[in-house]
Amino acid sequence: MGEDVKTHKIILDTDPGIDDAMAILFAEAHPAIELLAITTVFGNATIENGTRNALWLKQKYGMKADVARGAAAPLLREPVGPTTVVHGPSGFGDVQAGEVTLIPDPRPAWQYIVETVKAHPGEITLVTIGPLTNLALALEAAPEVAALVKEVVVMGGAFGVNGHRGNVTPYAEANIHDDPDAADRVFTAPWPLVIIGLDVTQQSIFTADYLDALRDDAGEPGRFLWDVSRFYLRFYSERIGMAGCHVHDPSAIAYVIDPALFTLRKGPVRVITEGPAIGHTLQKFDDTRHPHDEWADCPAQQVGVAVRDQALLALYRDTLVAWGKGRR
């Protein structure tokens, strides 16, 4: 694994979710990450199922992370509903969370985020791998948190790089499409933000063979990831003809661990919030002046445009195998 220079304190905002489970275990497993909390949001599953899934994973793996329940619906748009076709009826495909004896933190996710960031100024990285509603609510309640976070890392969006555009509409990625108003507020807030979108997440693939090897080599966590991925892989096979799946949510965790895995492009980002292109993310990445420009006064953010995919896959595998050795 190598030596870890420092620990990253993260709050992982998630809509668990099959690839969310892959990301949660990655964050829990890697020694450079201190997973302070899992905050939940609607998206891949209902808020009830997603929060139950998060608590079940915490219980199953003895995680120290708090779990705080977040938003059940988007800020303004009509909800599009959970993506059961991809993640199954409860979020974990064919796997059903067992009995859960834990309860979530009493605070709503946005309040948990605000209070924790204020308690650790300059130390917390917010990693969001679902719709951005909780972060938008945190900003609305306490705009000052934007100056107090270390960084915000978003899995979401699609910018047309590497031939990748939308996955739920021709131009929109699911997390942004679920709450485009929240995404636009989060992307234009004055905090350091990195977007790891489909442009790079669809460049990395967990093949069926890769997941088989995890099952065999990464102990109980590897077997769980194999089990939970079965429904996901059937979707990819039937809809895309792929014997594997894209590495969406774990890519955001990989960025936190090793930013050098990614090439970034700088410039302000806006989100289309209505009409047929709702959820489309657009970055202005040059200095051209225009008479009408609703990007010009927004903070420049970073968008992933290339990834060292084989190094990312090796990082994930090495992390899970090392962690799984004590969990046979």
Side-chain angles (χ1 to χ4, degrees):
M1 297 285 296
E3 294 184 8
D4 299 298
V5 177
K6 59 183 178 180
T7 296
H8 305 282
K9 292 184 172 70
I10 75 168
I11 295 174
L12 181 55
D13 193 68
T14 172
D15 55 339
I18 292 168
D19 59 328
D20 301 76
M22 295 172 172
I24 290 167
L25 294 198
F26 192 17
E28 176 69 12
H30 199 280
I33 288 182
E34 182 183 355
L35 181 58
L36 295 179
I38 299 166
T39 53
T40 62
V41 67
F42 72 96
N44 293 328
T46 63
I47 193 63
E48 293 80 13
N49 283 334
T51 303
R52 176 181 171 82
N53 289 342
L55 287 167
W56 182 67
L57 286 180
K58 174 182 176 174
Q59 179 177 288
K60 179 177 174 65
Y61 291 105
M63 298 180 185
K64 295 178 181 178
D66 295 327
V67 174
R69 173 174 163 149
L75 297 179
L76 298 173
R77 76 160 302 169
E78 284 294 313
V80 299
T83 50
T84 55
V85 67
V86 183
H87 296 273
S90 65
F92 279 173
D94 301 323
V95 175
Q96 294 294 320
E99 181 181 356
V100 176
T101 58
L102 304 178
I103 59 173
D105 190 277
R107 291 165 287 182
W110 68 262
Q111 183 181 353
Y112 184 96
I113 291 168
V114 167
E115 293 181 2
T116 307
V117 167
K118 287 184 174 182
H120 302 275
E123 297 182 20
I124 305 288
T125 298
L126 301 178
V127 182
T128 177
I129 56 178
L132 292 161
T133 317
N134 291 332
L135 271 66
L137 292 171
L139 282 170
E140 183 178 23
E144 63 272 19
V145 299
L148 300 176
V149 299
K150 180 180 177 182
E151 189 170 46
V152 179
V153 179
V154 175
M155 189 278 123
F159 296 85
V161 181
N162 303 316
H164 304 304
R165 290 178 287 275
N167 63 356
V168 292
T169 82
Y171 291 97
E173 180 276 330
N175 289 339
I176 309 305
H177 184 260
D178 273 351
D179 196 343
D181 299 280
D184 193 57
R185 297 181 194 185
V186 169
F187 292 166
T188 57
W191 49 17
L193 185 140
V194 176
I195 302 172
I196 302 296
L198 301 185
D199 314 88
V200 285
T201 68
Q202 291 187 343
Q203 295 293 101
S204 299
I205 297 171
F206 284 157
T207 64
D209 288 346
Y210 178 100
L211 293 167
D212 287 350
L214 270 186
R215 174 198 61 197
D216 296 341
D217 300 336
E220 193 284 331
R223 293 191 293 276
F224 166 72
L225 290 172
W226 190 88
D227 288 341
V228 82
S229 69
R230 296 305 92 192
F231 190 98
Y232 207 41
L233 262 61
R234 288 200 301 274
F235 168 80
Y236 270 88
S237 176
E238 292 165 6
R239 295 297 181 95
I240 305 174
M242 178 188 295
C245 61
H246 294 131
V247 186
H248 292 305
D249 293 345
S251 292
I253 303 299
Y255 174 81
V256 176
I257 297 166
D258 186 3
L261 291 170
F262 297 87
T263 302
L264 305 178
R265 184 178 73 186
K266 192 171 184 179
V269 177
R270 299 302 306 269
V271 181
I272 305 299
T273 57
E274 59 185 357
I278 187 170
H280 186 21
T281 49
L282 294 163
Q283 183 185 39
K284 181 184 179 185
F285 50 88
D286 59 33
D287 296 324
T288 306
R289 298 172 65 91
H290 301 83
H292 307 282
D293 189 342
E294 295 193 33
W295 283 256
D297 294 332
C298 298
Q301 309 293 16
Q302 301 278 6
V303 168
V305 294
V307 59
R308 294 166 49 217
D309 60 308
Q310 294 306 308
L312 186 154
L313 294 169
L315 173 64
Y316 191 89
R317 174 183 163 78
D318 292 349
T319 301
L320 268 294
V321 168
W323 189 55
K325 280 182 178 176
R327 298 173 176 273
R328 292 293 164 185

